[in-house]
């Protein structure tokens, strides 16, 4: 849980690059959802827009509207889908799994280097 700029949950992801380097990054669910939208826009055929049977881009559940008291429960329920999504994403052909959007998403950002002490 983070409190700046407002209260929200982040997911802790251990990234292992092909050269063996590992880093820990922190991402909000909304950032995963943004990546998903970018992937579907960039790769409409692989996203199943013309033929759903052709879809190879993994599915990520959409945003949920919920009461404040349910935020933690929703965050916990998203752990497995996010884990599965990341694993499936990096198993895709290199033209997708190594595209600029995916690489940028998993790159270390300044916020990742100085995580909150909570």
């Amino acid at each position: 849980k983070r409190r700046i700029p407002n209260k929200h949950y982040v997911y802790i992801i251990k990234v292992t690059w092909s050269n063996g380097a590992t880093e820990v990054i922190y991402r909000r669910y909304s950032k995963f959802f943004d990546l998903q939208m970018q992937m579907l826009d960039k790769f409409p055929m692989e996203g199943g827009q013309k033929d759903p049977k052709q879809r190879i881009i993994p599915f990520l559940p959409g945003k949920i509207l919920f009461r404040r008291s349910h935020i933690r429960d929703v965050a916990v329920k998203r752990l497995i889908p996010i884990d599965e999504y990341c694993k499936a994403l990096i198993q895709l052909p290199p033209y997708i799994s190594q595209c600029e959007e995916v690489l940028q998403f998993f790159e270390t950002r300044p916020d990742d280097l100085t995580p909150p002490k909570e």
Side-chain angles (χ1 to χ4, degrees), residues 38-92:
Q38 288 178 318
M39 301 304 290
L40 294 174
D41 285 346
K42 185 169 183 163
F43 304 107
M45 202 147 96
E46 294 84 345
Q49 281 186 18
K50 287 187 179 164
D51 181 1
K53 291 187 213 84
Q54 297 290 318
R55 183 174 180 145
I56 60 171
I57 292 178
F59 178 75
L60 185 69
K63 295 178 181 178
I64 303 170
L65 294 176
F66 45 80
R67 296 193 313 268
R68 299 277 314 150
S69 61
H70 291 99
I71 294 174
R72 188 180 192 292
D73 294 341
V74 170
V76 169
K77 284 181 187 159
R78 288 175 169 168
L79 282 170
I80 291 173
I82 285 177
D83 184 53
E84 291 171 350
Y85 179 78
C86 290
K87 288 176 179 172
L89 191 62
I90 61 169
Q91 295 299 318
L92 292 174

Side-chain angles (χ1 to χ4, degrees):
K1 184 191 269 188
R2 289 192 173 173
R3 298 185 190 287
I4 299 171
N6 51 21
K7 204 185 303 183
H8 63 279
Y9 284 88
V10 291
Y11 296 90
I12 303 168
I13 300 119
K14 181 180 178 185
V15 178
T16 304
W17 297 98
S18 56
N19 67 2
T22 61
E23 298 164 342
V24 174
I25 64 171
Y26 304 82
R27 297 288 180 271
R28 293 176 82 144
Y29 189 81
S30 62
K31 296 302 175 194
F32 283 97
F33 193 77
D34 293 347
L35 173 65
Q36 175 73 348
M37 294 297 100
Q38 288 178 318
M39 301 304 290
L40 294 174
D41 285 346
K42 185 169 183 163
F43 304 107
M45 202 147 96
E46 294 84 345
Q49 281 186 18
K50 287 187 179 164
D51 181 1
K53 291 187 213 84
Q54 297 290 318
R55 183 174 180 145
I56 60 171
I57 292 178
F59 178 75
L60 185 69
K63 295 178 181 178
I64 303 170
L65 294 176
F66 45 80
R67 296 193 313 268
R68 299 277 314 150
S69 61
H70 291 99
I71 294 174
R72 188 180 192 292
D73 294 341
V74 170
V76 169
K77 284 181 187 159
R78 288 175 169 168
L79 282 170
I80 291 173
I82 285 177
D83 184 53
E84 291 171 350
Y85 179 78
C86 290
K87 288 176 179 172
L89 191 62
I90 61 169
Q91 295 299 318
L92 292 174
Y95 74 95
I96 299 175
S97 64
Q98 296 174 27
C99 74
E100 193 62 32
E101 292 82 354
V102 172
L103 294 177
Q104 282 181 358
F105 180 82
F106 288 105
E107 279 179 353
T108 304
R109 298 178 183 162
D111 288 357
D112 299 324
L113 300 174
T114 55
K117 303 280 187 274
E118 295 178 46

